[in-house]
Amino acid sequence: DTDKFSISLVNNCGRFESECGQMYYLGVRKSDNSTISLKGKTLHGPAGKIIGSTYKNGEIAYTVTYAPVKLVVSKGSHVLVEQSGQWRK
């Protein structure tokens, strides 16, 4: 959950922290309740540990890091949105 978005992430491969090429992202923009649903994969840090997940929508990449929780939306090297968030149950 960020200031402007509510995001649900689903790992279809088992435990949330498990390696997965079948991740799903559902984002809801709080201002108008518009939604986007994307398919993605887990994201690895330098030590090979899973640090987040990444999703593509054409040229736009949606990256969610898990600790700290952050959403970054970018097009190439240009960052369009960068927001810190927090986990909700």
Side-chain angles (χ1 to χ4, degrees):
D1 203 56
T2 72
D3 285 344
K4 297 187 177 173
F5 302 96
S6 287
I7 300 162
S8 296
L9 304 175
V10 177
N11 181 323
N12 270 1
C13 303
R15 287 189 10 257
F16 188 70
E17 297 88 10
S18 56
E19 168 82 23
C20 193
Q22 299 273 322
M23 294 286 297
Y24 292 92
Y25 171 107
L26 175 64
V28 180
R29 185 168 41 216
K30 293 177 180 178
S31 61
D32 62 3
N33 284 334
S34 66
T35 63
I36 186 166
S37 179
L38 303 169
K39 187 176 165 189
K41 61 185 180 189
T42 48
L43 185 64
H44 298 267
K49 186 172 183 249
I50 292 170
I51 59 166
S53 49
T54 184
Y55 308 85
K56 289 276 196 180
N57 181 19
E59 294 181 27
I60 309 295
Y62 293 70
T63 302
V64 179
T65 54
Y66 299 162
V69 180
K70 190 190 325 183
L71 168 68
V72 178
V73 180
S74 55
K75 183 175 183 180
S77 61
H78 182 66
V79 174
L80 306 173
V81 173
E82 184 170 348
Q83 292 189 347
S84 293
Q86 59 191 12
W87 292 108
R88 297 251 188 234
K89 297 243 180 205

